[in-house]
Structures are given as C-alpha cells and as structure tokens.
C-alpha cells in the first residue's frame, strides 16, 4: 500500500531498501530527519558525527570496507566537508556512497542561501535531485547503482520543500549488499604520483556519466501543447511549473543535475521556439544552456533570491494568479523566541547588562541577538565565535580583551569551536570564551552530541569532559557557572575578563525542553506589588507580559526557572524575599 | 477532482503536527493523492508556523499559495489574521479564539490588534470562531485543541464520522483515543 512519507524519511527508506549499513551525519535543518529515520532501522548503523567532514570521511571508510554508506548534511555543512569531497571524487568508492545535501531557499533555518549544485560541478561528482518523496526514495536506490557502476560518490540534492513535504511512496523489501575490501594504493593513496593518474580517470568518468545522463530515466521530457515555449526545470520547481501550467508547454525535467545531458537539452531547445528555465537560487541549468549556445531565459525573469511557488510561475507566464484579502490591520510579526526556562536567557541578560561585545555562533542561543536581549554582535558560521573573538581581541589589544566574549553552544563547540580555542591558547589572545552547555543540540531538534553521554540511538556513550578538554588545550582559567544564578554569572564574567590570560566559562544547565529535566513549576506572582518598572521585561521571557501596568504570568509556559525573580525588586515575582 | 487546500496555522509548540498527521491518514485511506508540507526548525521555537495539506486526483505543488486555501484552521487568533491572504474567495477560516502574545507585543514594541474577529468579518471573510480551548478542557485535556478544530473542519468536508474516527484511532496512542474522539465531536457539534 502507498504510504505518506516525509522526503527525508523516503531517503532513509531508500537507504534501507538498498542495503545501506552505515550512516554518519551531522544535524542541520532541513536534512536532519534522514539520519534520525535511518537510525530507526535495526539493519543500519547510524551515528551523529561531531561535524560534516568527520561524517563524510567516516562514510568513506565504511564504503572502502565494502558497505554501502551514507552521510547527510545541510548546504553549509557541505562547505565543512568540501575537503574530503573533492578528493573522494578522485579515489572513487568501493561499495556505493551517497552524500545528501539539503539546500534552504528562503532561509527558513539558515544563515545563507547557497546553491549546492555548484559543488557537483566543481568536484566532478554526479548529483541527483528529487522533486518529491517517491523520487527521493527511488533516486536514493539508484544513486548506489550509479556510485558503484561509475566508481564515484553520488550527491543527492534535497531542499526544504522536498525534505519537509510528505507525499506518497511505494516501498519494497531490503536487499542486502556487501563487497570485499582489497588494498589498492594507486586508487586510494592520493599523493601526487597517484593523484595525477586519477585525475584523467575522473575526466573519463565524467564523459561516461554524461552519456549516461542522456539515457537515464531521471531526465524526462513531458509533452506540452504549445511549442512557443519549452520549460527546463528541476527539484521542487518542477512541481510549481506543473501546478501552474499543467501540460500547456513541453517540460524538460532534469533529475540528474550533474553532469547534464547536452544532447537532450539541445534537442529540446530545437523542438521549441524559446527556452525558459525555472530553477531556484542560481542560474545553474541556465548557464549550462548558454554554454551550449542556447539563448535560454531564466534569471532575467525569476529571482535568484528566496523560494518560488505556483503563483511565481503563473505571474511570469502571464496567467491569472489568485489573490486573497489582506487584513487592513497591522499584524505584528511572531519571530521565534527562546523557550521559557531556557538556560541561555540568564547568561545573555548579564552580557547585555555589562554592555559587552559578543561574537556569537549558531544555535538556539543565536536568539540572544533579538530584542529585548539583543546582546550579539556577529554570527557567521559554526565555530566563528571563538576564532572571531581571537582575531578581534588580537587586533584591538587589552582594551577589547576586557569587554569582548565569544559565545558558543556545546554541539557547536565540538563541531568546530575546539580548533578555534586551540588557536586562542596557542597564539595567546587572552580571549574569554563562554560555552553554553545545555547538554544537547537544541536548534536542530534535540540531537545527542559528544558532550551529552548518549549516542544517536539514545544508548550510553563516552562524554567529552569540557573542563578537562579546555585545560588540556592550554586554557589557564576554566570555570563552571549556573546560568539561572545571575549574580554568579556576572561575577564570573567580570573576573574572567579582568584576568590577564585566556579563559573559558562553561555556563551549564540542560535545555528546558529535555524530558529528564524536572521543573519546579510556575513561580508565585503578586501582581499587586508590581510597580510596572519593566525590570523583568528585559529578559524576553514568553511567559511574562506587562499589560495595563501589571505583570501577568502565563502559567502554562512558566517553568519556575526563577531568573525573573532575581530582577524584581518589589517582590511581585517569586514570593517574599 | 480539483485539488483541495487546507492550511493549519498556529504558534510553534501548539501541536498542529497531530492535526496534519490525522488529516494525512484520513485522506490516503480515501484514495487521494496527498501532500503535507511544513517547515521544521527555527520557527518552532514559539514562532509562527504553517502546515499545508493538499489532496485531489493529482497534487503537484507541496505548498498552498495566496488565494488558494479552501480552509484555514488556526490555533490562535492573530495567526488567523496573518494568513487571510491565503484564503480562497469562498473559503472559510476556522479559528480558535485563544490569544498568545508574540514577543514584540510582550516587549511593548507592538500592540496585539484589537477587534480581529470583526475586522476579518468586515473584510468579507467567512469566519468560524470558537473557543476550542474550553471545549478541549471539557473533553478532558487542553492539549485536545487540535481535535476540536478538526471536528469543526469536518463540518466543511465530505467524510463520514466513521472515517474520521478510524483516522483518530490510527493517529493517537490507544489511551488517548476516547478523549480525542470526544474533543472531535465537541468541536463538530458546538
Ligand atoms: C556547518 C553547519 N552545520 C550544521 C548547522 C545547523 N545547526 C545550526 S545550530 C546547530 C547546533 C546548535 O547546537 P548547540 O551549539 O549545542 O546550541 P543549542 O541550539 O543547543 O543552543 C546546528 C547543527 C549549521 N548551521 N552549520
Ligand atoms: S530548545 Fe532548549 S536551548 Fe533551545 S531555546 Fe528552548 S530551552 Fe533553550
């Protein structure tokens, strides 16, 4: 029977059916559920690696050993793993290996909007791009065949709308797969003498893959009545085109986005009067058509920014787009906020109060950048808080050293903050680094990481001892604070900034949403005592509001963390003092 | 059949996931092509969230666009107002009258707009506003708001009570089936 499966779950199903045995990934929206779903199959070993580069190299190791393997990441994760990618293109694989990368047009949960298709072209690795769950499943299975036939890793390009939409799939039973490992230095030891011989192999492979692209089922021509226009499209844009235009115009749906089928594209262009390319983000297919001498139009009509939808297409093709009624009232936005009881809140309150320069990082704690906390100066990519603070403090010297801190989460610290901290110690910048240790990878939906003492399957695992690690790196001053205790946090931050050496403050409290965390329950409130001074409103707690000059508490949200009670001077919050 | 579009909107953490799961189950057992789409991640931390449910003979796009929704089911009043542009001309908004202040209102940077129900009606919107929270509590749990709203939606759709009940049985843990069925019927009858 047909099932409704999330695109990411369909990829996981494809891994299962194709006999995949090894999955190593680092979480990142919108790719995370592929690995979480894969972990539910007993036949698949699945793990969270500390970062994407480690994940990809581990997946390669498993492929070398003869098992079909997989690693998954979000688009920016592929930047981190780009190093192994480009050389794995040279070595190729033993058993099949798939690298899933999920783009996020519209930046629902990302810091940039890069287009991963460029990586396929640059690394000369083939890339498949499904447009719904059924294709995600089928292409995952096919990717292993391609990987083994052509001796290459295969990129599977997902995107927010394919990853996070459920559509119907038909499932099949699993087929086991195993190969033997045989030593082959000329293929796997990439030093210049060997690599020089592998590069021509890569070029020959690309030529063969190009020929394959001409016949493979994933590049598909769909007939249309009006040949005045022919549409070339891929991924979720295919769905928008069909929704908006039905079979008005012929459509060339590209499912294998690298290498591209030159002959099919040329023949398609000849069969229509004009070619229009519909693709989100960059003009990747369009550029290829131009390289073939085809005067296709794409980005002069469709924006390289953000997501498309069916109305985008309707408007561009001069069709009527339905419209609804916008209310004639200002609708305040509802941005995401730190949860009530979030341990990050107290820490940010202190950083804001001390008017520090804060080089931030990526995680739930990025929300410390929005009002009323507004305590962050920069957020670039994972790990950049620590290394950025090092550079900032080095550049400005002791003046900056006393009022600048790095703020980084536990998962992010393990991902790429550690190496920055080595630089702080080694090149002696005397920077102060605050690790927000909430014992989980919060932002991406609560995944375990090397500091939490559990693995992906929830079983006990070795836990990195952050204090010992920081000392071993060479940080002379390491201390732990409880972010619910504002006075203690303030004391620690002031003291560490004054010290003439590098320091690490570990702000430790588990995420308020973790099931094992027991909360005392709502604090007592005495609204009569409230003088509407607004002191408690500075922490941006969603459970508190000041309406008509009186404080009110949302009993369903308050966890009883007590941070606000330390701010109220009049005893309105938390009972008598 | 032309594609039908249902949007479920609310505040991250309000539990719209169960509503879309239930609808999905119901629709595939009726033999439709179905797509259910939602954005996971950042917005779930108390932000504005939306789920698109589409069904028909053949569904292409996973998202619902402006002017396309046959029904918008909202877990919160301001969220209903935020998405009115997505409603079809003859569509209906089914709205829980609960109000949850967004952060700009909490900090005083913005006001929670007054008279939203009247404004929506004045704009010609077919609004079915109900106190789903009270009905959910009557059924036995504040968490059953989603089922109350699904019951309300059921009045607009052409599926038998048996089909809905079967979908409920398949979507919730056994010990909550009765509670959820009760919430569904309270929403449908109220
Ligand atoms: C290279 C890269 N990989 C993955 C992500 C997705 N991502 C965003 S924040 C985050 C982890 C946050 O965890 P942590 O540092 O523990 O902070 P928390 O959210 O728990 O506060 C991840 C994995 C990313 N932005 N960049
Ligand atoms: S999920 Fe956890 S870490 Fe993230 S905002 Fe909520 S309480 Fe804080």
């Amino acid at each position: 029977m047909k099932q409704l499966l999330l695109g990411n779950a369909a990829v996981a199903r494809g891994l299962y059916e194709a006999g995949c045995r090894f999955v190593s990934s680092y979480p990142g929206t919108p790719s995370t559920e592929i690995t979480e779903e894969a972990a539910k199959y007993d036949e698949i070993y699945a793990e969270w690696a500390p970062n994407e580069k480690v994940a990809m190299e581990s997946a390669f190791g498993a492929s070398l050993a003869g098992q079909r393997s997989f690693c998954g990441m979000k688009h920016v994760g592929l930047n981190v793993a780009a190093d192994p990618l480009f050389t794995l293109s040279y070595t190729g694989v033993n058993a099949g290996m798939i690298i899933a990368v999920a783009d996020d047009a519209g930046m629902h949960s990302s810091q940039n909007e890069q287009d991963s298709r460029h990586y396929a072209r640059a690394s000369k690795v083939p890339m498949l791009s499904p447009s719904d769950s059924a294709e995600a499943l089928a292409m995952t299975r096919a990717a292993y065949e391609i990987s083994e036939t052509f001796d290459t890793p295969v990129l599977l390009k997902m995107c927010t709308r394919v990853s996070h939409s459920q559509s119907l799939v038909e499932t099949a039973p699993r087929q086991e797969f195993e190969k033997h490992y045989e030593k082959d230095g000329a293929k796997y030891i990439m030093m210049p003498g060997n690599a020089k011989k592998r590069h021509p192999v890569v070029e020959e492979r690309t030529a063969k893959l190009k020929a394959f692209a001409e016949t493979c089922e994933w590049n598909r021509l769909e007939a249309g009545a009006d040949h005045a226009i022919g549409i070339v499209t891929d991924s979720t844009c295919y769905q928008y085109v069909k929704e908006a235009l039905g079979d008005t115009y012929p459509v060339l749906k590209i499912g294998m986005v690298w290498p591209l089928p030159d002959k099919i594209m040329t023949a398609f262009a000849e069969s229509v009067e004009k070619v229009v390319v519909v693709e989100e983000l960059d003009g990747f297919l369009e550029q290829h058509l131009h390289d073939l001498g085809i005067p296709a139009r794409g980005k002069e009509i469709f924006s390289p920014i953000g997501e498309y939808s069916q109305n985008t297409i309707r408007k561009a093709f001069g069709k009527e787009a339905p419209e609804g009624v916008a209310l004639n009232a200002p609708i305040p936005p509802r941005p995401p906020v730190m949860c009530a009881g979030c341990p990050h809140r107290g820490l940010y309150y202190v950083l804001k109060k001390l008017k520090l320069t804060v080089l931030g990082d990526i995680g739930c704690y990025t929300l410390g950048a929005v009002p009323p906390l507004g305590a962050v100066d920069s957020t670039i990519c994972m790990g950049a808080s620590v290394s950025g603070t090092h550079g900032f403090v080095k550049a400005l010297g002791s003046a900056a050293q006393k009022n600048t801190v790095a703020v980084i989460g536990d998962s992010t610290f393990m991902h790429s903050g550690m190496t920055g901290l080595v630089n702080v110690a080694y090149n002696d910048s005397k920077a102060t680094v605050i690790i927000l240790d909430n014992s989980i990878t919060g932002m991406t939906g609560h995944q375990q990481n090397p500091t939490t003492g559990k693995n992906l399957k929830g079983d006990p695992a070795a836990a990195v001892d952050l204090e010992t690690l920081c000392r071993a790196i060479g940080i002379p001053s390491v201390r732990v604070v409880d972010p619910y205790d504002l006075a203690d946090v303030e004391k620690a931050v002031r003291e560490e900034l004054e010290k003439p050496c590098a320091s690490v403050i570990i702000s430790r409290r588990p995420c308020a949403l973790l099931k094992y965390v027991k909360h005392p329950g709502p604090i007592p409130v005495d609204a009569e005592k409230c003088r509407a001074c607004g002191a408690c409103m500075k922490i941006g707690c969603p459970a508190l509001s000041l309406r008509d000059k009186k404080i009110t508490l949302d009993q369903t949200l308050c966890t009883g963390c007590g941070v606000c009670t330390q701010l109220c001077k009049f005893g309105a919050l938390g009972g008598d003092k | 059949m032309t594609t039908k579009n249902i949007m479920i909107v609310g505040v991250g953490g309000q539990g719209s996931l169960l509503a879309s799961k239930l609808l999905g189950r119901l629709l595939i057992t009726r033999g439709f092509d179905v797509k259910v789409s939602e954005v996971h991640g950042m917005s779930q931390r108390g932000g504005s969230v939306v789920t698109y449910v589409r069904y028909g003979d053949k569904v292409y796009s996973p998202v619902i666009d402006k002017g396309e929704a046959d029904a918008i089911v909202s877990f919160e009043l301001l969220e209903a107002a935020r998405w009115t542009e997505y409603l079809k001309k003859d569509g209906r908004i089914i709205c829980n009258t609960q109000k949850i202040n967004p952060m700009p209102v909490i900090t005083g940077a913005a006001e929670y707009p007054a008279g939203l129900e009247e404004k929506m009606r004045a704009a010609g919107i077919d609004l079915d506003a109900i106190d789903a929270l009270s009905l959910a509590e009557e059924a036995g749990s504040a968490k059953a708001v989603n089922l109350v709203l699904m019951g309300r939606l059921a009045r607009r759709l052409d599926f038998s009570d048996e089909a809905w009940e079967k979908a409920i049985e398949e979507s919730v843990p056994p010990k909550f089936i009765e509670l959820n069925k009760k919430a569904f019927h309270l929403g449908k009858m109220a």
Side-chain angles (χ1 to χ4, degrees):
Chain A
M1 197 192 92
K2 287 196 171 173
Q3 304 179 29
L4 201 51
L5 271 195
L6 199 65
N8 281 346
V11 174
R13 180 73 202 183
L15 296 176
Y16 169 78
E17 292 178 7
C20 169
R21 294 240 200 117
F22 184 94
V23 170
S24 183
S25 303
Y26 183 71
T29 315
S31 70
T32 312
E33 299 82 2
I34 303 175
T35 302
E36 289 176 331
E37 292 295 325
K40 293 179 184 165
Y41 296 104
D42 289 338
E43 293 85 345
I44 302 179
Y45 167 80
E47 65 178 24
W48 290 126
N51 70 32
E52 293 85 352
K53 174 171 145 66
V54 174
M56 191 183 290
E57 292 157 352
S58 304
F60 165 70
S63 150
L64 186 66
Q67 293 187 359
R68 285 188 166 178
S69 71
F70 171 88
C71 61
M73 59 204 67
K74 68 184 288 167
H75 59 332
V76 287
L78 194 52
N79 300 337
V80 177
D83 197 8
L85 173 68
F86 279 71
T87 302
L88 290 177
S89 172
Y90 277 37
T91 62
V93 300
N94 183 22
M97 172 172 170
I98 299 177
I99 301 159
V101 54
D103 285 6
D104 188 18
M107 289 183 275
H108 295 281
S109 316
S110 303
Q111 68 266 36
N112 77 22
E113 210 172 21
Q114 71 188 47
D115 186 330
S116 296
R117 294 174 300 173
H118 297 295
Y119 269 113
R121 182 183 176 142
S123 65
K124 308 184 185 201
V125 167
M127 180 182 260
L128 299 178
S129 170
S131 67
D132 61 17
S133 300
E135 277 191 356
L137 197 164
M139 283 187 182
T140 301
R141 296 179 53 145
Y144 279 122
E145 304 291 332
I146 296 171
S147 176
E148 283 146 12
T149 308
F150 294 92
D151 192 5
T152 174
V154 175
L155 286 156
L156 183 70
K157 203 217 74 160
M158 304 293 285
C159 68
T160 297
R161 294 301 176 188
V162 176
S163 283
H164 286 169
S165 296
Q166 301 171 48
S167 56
L168 298 178
V169 303
E170 212 129 12
T171 56
R174 175 174 170 95
Q175 278 175 326
E176 292 298 340
F177 181 90
E178 200 160 11
K179 259 180 115 173
H180 288 290
Y181 168 62
E182 268 167 54
K183 193 174 167 110
D184 186 353
K187 180 161 156 28
Y188 294 117
I189 306 173
M190 283 304 95
M191 51 193 195
N194 290 340
K196 277 180 194 163
K197 294 187 193 106
R198 289 301 296 178
H199 189 179
V201 175
V202 172
E203 299 303 328
E204 279 162 35
R205 179 183 73 204
T206 300
K208 284 183 199 150
L209 279 161
K210 254 185 161 345
F212 172 75
E214 301 289 353
T215 57
C216 88
E217 59 182 305
W218 309 116
N219 298 324
R220 182 171 82 221
L221 193 70
E222 291 184 9
D226 185 351
H227 284 242
I229 296 174
I231 299 172
V232 178
T233 186
D234 71 348
S235 185
T236 189
C237 290
Y238 162 79
Q239 308 290 357
Y240 305 143
V241 165
K242 294 300 279 189
E243 181 79 35
L245 306 173
D247 46 19
T248 313
Y249 305 110
V251 170
L252 176 58
K253 178 186 184 299
I254 301 290
M256 181 157 159
V257 292
W258 192 259
L260 286 162
D262 295 352
K263 287 187 194 132
I264 291 180
M265 289 172 119
T266 308
F268 182 71
E270 280 164 6
S271 75
V272 296
E273 282 167 43
K274 268 187 278 183
V275 175
V276 173
V277 190
V278 185
E279 55 187 329
E280 279 175 342
L281 302 177
D282 297 338
F284 182 85
L285 303 175
E286 182 187 4
Q287 181 60 50
H288 192 78
L289 287 160
H290 291 174
D291 292 348
L292 294 173
I294 298 164
R297 297 174 68 203
K299 290 298 150 185
E300 59 173 289
I301 310 170
F302 298 100
S303 172
I305 302 165
E307 284 192 284
Y308 300 169
S309 61
Q310 45 269 36
N311 276 351
T312 318
I313 315 297
R314 289 184 184 118
K315 285 176 193 154
F317 284 85
K319 286 191 63 166
E320 202 190 333
E323 271 173 50
V325 209
L327 267 205
N328 189 14
I331 306 290
R334 190 185 299 275
V337 289
M338 273 180 203
C339 307
C342 176
H344 299 333
R345 181 173 284 108
L347 185 102
Y348 274 113
Y349 171 76
V350 171
L351 301 184
K352 173 83 183 276
K353 182 179 168 196
L354 299 180
K355 299 196 174 65
L356 302 181
T357 300
V358 178
L359 282 86
D361 223 300
I362 306 203
C364 283
Y365 53 94
T366 309
L367 295 169
V370 292
L373 289 165
V376 177
D377 289 74
S378 73
T379 297
I380 314 296
C381 62
M382 295 189 82
S385 57
V386 182
S387 20
T389 301
H390 171 80
F392 195 86
V393 168
K394 274 275 174 194
L396 295 180
S398 60
Q401 187 194 313
K402 291 196 165 109
N403 61 16
T404 308
V405 294
V407 168
I408 185 165
D410 50 347
S411 183
T412 306
F413 183 72
M414 296 317 299
H415 177 280
S416 48
M418 277 196 293
T419 35
L421 193 66
V422 169
N423 199 33
V424 166
Y426 174 54
N427 286 312
D428 193 21
S429 61
K430 304 181 174 42
T432 299
V433 173
I434 303 176
I435 303 176
L436 294 169
D437 179 11
N438 63 352
S439 293
I440 204 75
T441 313
M443 179 92 275
T444 41
H446 298 97
Q447 291 77 30
Q448 304 297 339
N449 70 52
T451 71
T452 65
K454 286 203 181 123
N455 63 23
L456 166 56
K457 303 235 180 190
D459 297 326
V464 169
D465 179 335
L466 286 174
E467 293 91 308
T468 310
L469 173 66
C470 294
R471 288 198 188 99
I473 281 174
I475 303 298
S477 181
V478 179
R479 72 200 269 180
V480 180
V481 295
D482 176 358
Y484 280 179
D485 184 343
L486 297 182
D488 195 42
V489 173
E490 184 171 338
K491 182 164 174 283
V493 173
R494 282 184 189 277
E495 285 174 7
E496 295 308 320
L497 283 169
E498 280 307 317
K499 284 187 187 163
C501 65
S503 32
V504 167
I505 302 171
I506 301 169
S507 170
R508 180 168 286 149
R509 238 311 146 182
C511 163
L513 296 191
L514 294 179
K515 289 221 169 66
Y516 68 81
V517 176
K518 295 279 169 273
H519 299 291
I523 53 158
V525 179
D526 187 348
E528 288 308 307
K529 290 187 181 158
C530 174
R531 302 212 196 150
C533 70
C536 62
M537 300 311 291
K538 291 185 184 154
I539 52 172
C541 177
L544 285 173
S545 29
L546 198 53
R547 294 277 100 189
D548 305 323
K549 299 212 181 295
K550 286 290 169 220
I551 195 69
T552 55
L553 182 79
D554 185 330
Q555 302 279 337
T556 63
L557 289 180
C558 179
T559 64
C561 75
V563 169
C564 63
T565 64
Q566 299 165 56
L567 300 173
C568 181
K569 291 199 186 72
F570 306 106
L573 297 171
D576 288 335
K577 271 189 243 142
Chain B
M1 189 191 96
T2 57
T3 302
K4 286 257 184 238
N5 301 311
I6 300 167
M7 275 167 80
I8 304 170
V9 304
V11 179
Q14 270 192 308
S16 56
L17 232 61
L18 176 62
S20 59
K21 185 173 161 195
L22 179 77
L23 270 176
R25 283 239 50 95
L26 174 77
L27 296 168
I28 58 170
T29 53
R30 303 288 102 186
F32 291 112
D33 188 17
V34 185
K35 284 195 175 162
V36 177
S37 176
E38 57 212 341
V39 171
H40 307 209
M42 191 100 170
S43 53
Q44 287 177 313
R45 303 272 169 271
S48 180
V49 291
V50 53
T51 304
Y52 306 106
V53 179
R54 312 192 68 217
Y55 64 100
D57 294 335
K58 172 77 193 152
V59 179
Y60 287 105
S61 173
V63 300
I64 296 170
D65 218 321
K66 287 185 181 154
E68 286 188 336
D70 295 278
I72 297 178
V73 177
S74 180
F75 281 62
E76 199 270 351
L77 187 61
L78 180 65
E79 293 310 308
R82 185 184 313 287
W83 296 96
T84 56
E85 257 189 296
Y86 283 74
L87 196 67
K88 224 183 218 165
K89 289 227 155 49
D90 55 356
R92 171 180 293 179
I93 295 185
I94 293 160
C95 179
N96 179 14
T97 49
Q98 191 183 355
K99 292 183 185 177
I100 300 175
N101 287 337
M103 196 44 72
V105 171
I106 291 179
T107 60
E111 285 288 320
Y112 195 108
L116 282 176
E117 287 180 45
E118 296 72 37
K119 283 190 177 124
M120 283 191 258
R121 290 209 173 90
I125 288 167
D126 174 5
L127 177 70
D128 180 8
I130 57 162
D131 180 357
L133 191 58
S134 299
L135 291 170
E137 279 162 358
E138 192 184 325
S141 165
K143 291 200 175 129
V145 164
N146 39 32
L147 265 294
V148 174
L149 293 172
M150 286 300 104
R152 209 68 186 178
L153 175 68
R155 306 200 327 188
R156 280 287 275 188
L157 306 180
D158 225 2
F159 303 113
S160 68
D161 279 4
E162 292 72 47
W164 279 99
E165 290 190 357
K166 189 158 173 289
I168 293 173
E169 284 159 19
E170 289 167 356
S171 310
V172 306
K175 61 176 175 177
F176 296 122
I177 290 176
E178 280 319 307
L179 189 156
N180 280 304
K181 281 186 186 170
K182 192 169 171 202
F184 175 84
H185 287 291
L186 280 174
K188 194 167 175 209
M189 298 309 160

